[in-house]
Structures are given as structure tokens and as C-alpha cells.
Amino acid sequence: MTNDRVISGVELWQWRQNALAEAKVTDVPLMEVDWILQEVAGLDRLAIRLESFKNRPEIKLNFPLSELNRLWKRRLYDRLPVQYITGVTHWRNFSLVVSPAVLIPRPETELLIDLAVEAMKRGSEGAGERGSAIKNSSFYVSQFPIIQWADLGTGSGAIAIGLADAFPDAIVHAVDKSQDALSIAQQNAQKLSFGDRIKFYQGSWFEPLEALKGQLTGMISNPPYIPSSMVLNLQAEVTQHEPHLALDGGSDGLDCIRYLVEKAPDYLCSGGVWLIEMMAGQAQLVVDLLRKNGSYDRVEILPDLAGIERFALAFRS
């Protein structure tokens, strides 16, 4: 009996040559071909660049070549994201399982974790003005003996995992409305050994966290923020394959953000961090919502690496 997951290096080399030619014609980034080979065939970048894998008598694939061909055709003509072909994406220093049940974590969202760390440091400086100076890696510990973050709309679990990694002493509460998304998030947390510090809840935003009112040190979210009328006009990879539940933010894109502004003060303790990602052009509207609410101070808009106003930060007053 032949193993249809094992092919020769020459066969795989030929597949790569054909795939590169097809990618060029269909305007798919050429780098995706090599990314697929790294993930599906376990090849390293050097072996691919030097084409040394061509000399191997056998290479084992994660799935049969026929399935690889089928998925590659879907990438070319159905615009299936390459992350859904390989079943993984790389985010910060993690390799995360993804499927069409979850939004693919974006590079710009990685900054949310860095901003959360910086916000906690700045929060501790604010606490110092009130007589509680906390200037080291254990910032906030004297003010908040238990550091608890809520990641609302966790999807793949990327942000929750990033928080658990950045705050080794914290408990992270990860919430998502989709059970399929939660299954992916739990799988990622277990695989990366964070399963004991991330608690998962199915439900809408704060609703499953009723018992944590007034106890959260921080709230973080990458909520749906695309206006409904724009969702179907996004690139085909997004609108045809990624979950619209994670994209559609209502008529002006701010429905979910309004809810988070309104409800978070009930759950954040004094000095707690409120941090979200948003779309370009929404910054002033979000600032107005936060200031009008009256429960926040130190409201700030922060840019992504491209200089786009991407994140909103505030502290519970």
C-alpha cells in the first residue's frame, strides 16, 4: 500500500515551480508558496531557497498532494487565505491554529499586547501619585493583588495568549460568542501551555463575567468595527472566508465599541485599563464616547506601525 502523503523531492520541487507560476498570474504573493511548503512539508527556508530538498528521496506532507492541489486551487481562484490552507498562522512568537471559524490575527493587533504592558506601567505611575509607587515588573501588584484581564471577542485566543505570556501572574478571562471559535482558542491555549491561566466563556462580551464586576485590572478587545456597508467590499480573502461576526460593527462600525464603553466601568476596578483596536477614521468618535461617559480618564489614541490611529486607551477613573 502506497502512502499518498509521501512524495519525492523532485515531485515537490515541480509542484513549487508550477505554484510560483500560477501565483504570479493570479496575483497571489509568491512568498505564500514557500510558506505553504514550510508548514505542509516541514521544509526550512534555506532548503527552499537553495532547492536542496529536490534531492530528497522522500518528503512527508501533512496531507496528500491531491488535497494540497485542491486547496491551492482554492487559494488561486476562491481567494482562500493561505492561513486556512496550512491551518496555522504566526502571531508574535506563537504558532496559532486557525480555521474559518476565527478571524486571522493581524500583525498590527500584536501591538495591543505591548500597549497593554505599557498601560500597566503607566497605570502604576498614576497609582504612585496616589501614594503607591510601583516601578518594576510587579507593577500593580500592591494595588491589585490579583491581576485579571478580560479579552472580549477572543476568536483564536491570540490576545488572551499574548496577555498570559506578558503577565505571568495574571488570570485571563477569554470570552467569545462562537463556540467554534472558543474551541480553537482553547486548543491554542492548551498547545502553548497557557490552559491553566486562561479561563474561557461562551457568551456576548461582559455577560458571562457578571461575577467579576469591579474586579478586572484590564479589558482588551479587537471588536468588530467595520461598518456593515463596507464588509462586502473588503478584499475577497476577508469577505468570502473570514467570519462576518468578527467583522461587522453595525451601521457606523461602532456598535460593539459603544457597548464596551458603556459596560466596562461596571467591571473595571479603579485605575483599570480599557484598550481596544479600531478602524482608521474612528478615533475622534471613540474619544468622544469615552469622555462623554464620564467614567474614564487619561483617554488617548495610539498609532500602529504604519502611523494609523488604530488603538484607543483609557483608564477607569
Side-chain angles (χ1 to χ4, degrees):
M1 177 183 260
T2 59
N3 187 339
D4 58 3
R5 295 189 179 191
V6 176
I7 65 173
S8 69
V10 171
E11 287 179 285
L12 193 58
W13 176 84
Q14 187 60 60
W15 184 89
R16 179 175 183 265
Q17 299 305 114
N18 293 337
L20 287 170
E22 292 171 330
K24 189 173 184 179
V25 170
T26 54
D27 199 28
V28 168
L30 300 183
M31 62 173 287
E32 292 190 8
V33 176
D34 292 349
W35 183 9
I36 289 173
L37 291 183
Q38 289 177 63
E39 298 297 337
V40 173
L43 300 180
D44 60 56
R45 294 178 183 176
L46 185 60
I48 295 172
R49 184 169 34 163
L50 298 179
E51 298 186 338
S52 58
F53 69 92
K54 182 179 179 181
N55 301 320
R56 298 186 191 178
E58 290 187 349
I59 295 176
K60 186 176 181 179
L61 307 180
N62 290 348
F63 40 73
L65 184 61
S66 59
E67 178 66 3
L68 176 59
N69 283 327
R70 185 186 73 82
L71 291 170
W72 178 243
K73 296 302 181 188
R74 289 199 63 199
R75 175 69 191 106
L76 297 175
Y77 305 113
D78 297 339
R79 312 314 283 187
L80 179 70
V82 66
Q83 293 90 340
Y84 292 157
I85 292 177
T86 62
V88 298
T89 193
H90 299 283
W91 192 83
R92 289 181 74 84
N93 56 323
F94 308 114
S95 178
L96 300 174
V97 173
V98 292
S99 81
V102 299
L103 194 72
I104 298 166
R106 270 40 176 195
E108 58 266 26
T109 305
E110 296 182 9
L111 284 175
L112 273 175
I113 307 303
D114 300 311
L115 294 175
V117 171
E118 183 59 28
M120 289 286 277
K121 291 177 181 177
R122 290 173 54 193
S124 72
E125 291 166 4
E129 295 169 4
R130 298 188 295 273
S132 177
I134 312 165
K135 303 294 186 181
N136 54 40
S137 61
S138 62
F139 43 68
Y140 258 54
V141 169
S142 63
Q143 188 180 5
F144 305 111
I146 301 176
I147 299 174
Q148 299 192 82
W149 279 93
D151 171 23
L152 303 177
T154 192
S156 66
I159 293 173
I161 288 167
L163 289 171
D165 182 56
F167 301 102
D169 298 323
I171 298 171
V172 181
H173 304 277
V175 180
D176 205 284
K177 196 171 184 178
S178 165
Q179 182 56 58
D180 290 338
L182 279 177
S183 295
I184 294 290
Q186 288 173 305
Q187 182 180 344
N188 282 319
Q190 291 294 334
K191 183 183 73 167
L192 295 166
S193 301
F194 292 113
D196 60 335
R197 290 201 295 112
I198 303 176
K199 299 182 179 182
F200 294 94
Y201 309 78
Q202 183 180 11
S204 178
W205 305 117
F206 285 108
E207 289 176 5
L209 305 180
E210 185 78 14
L212 294 173
K213 280 189 171 181
Q215 299 178 43
L216 294 178
T217 316
M219 181 232 79
I220 192 167
S221 183
N222 178 16
Y225 52 67
I226 307 296
S228 301
S229 61
M230 294 179 60
V231 171
L232 294 180
N233 295 324
L234 300 172
Q235 64 185 108
E237 285 84 349
V238 177
T239 191
Q240 293 180 21
H241 299 285
E242 298 197 68
H244 286 199
L245 180 67
L247 297 167
D248 193 335
S251 60
D252 63 356
L254 294 172
D255 283 1
C256 300
I257 294 175
R258 282 193 188 90
Y259 177 87
L260 295 176
V261 170
E262 178 186 351
K263 294 295 182 182
D266 294 335
Y267 293 83
L268 291 170
C269 52
S270 178
V273 176
W274 189 94
L275 177 61
I276 65 151
E277 182 174 325
M278 62 191 171
M279 190 175 77
Q282 294 176 335
Q284 190 56 54
L285 292 170
V286 174
V287 168
D288 291 344
L289 288 170
L290 288 163
R291 289 179 174 162
K292 184 178 180 180
N293 180 275
S295 298
Y296 303 93
D297 58 27
R298 289 177 285 167
V299 176
E300 188 174 354
I301 299 299
L302 300 159
D304 62 18
L305 293 177
I308 296 170
E309 294 182 324
R310 178 72 62 187
F311 310 102
L313 170 67
F315 294 84
R316 175 73 166 93
S317 56

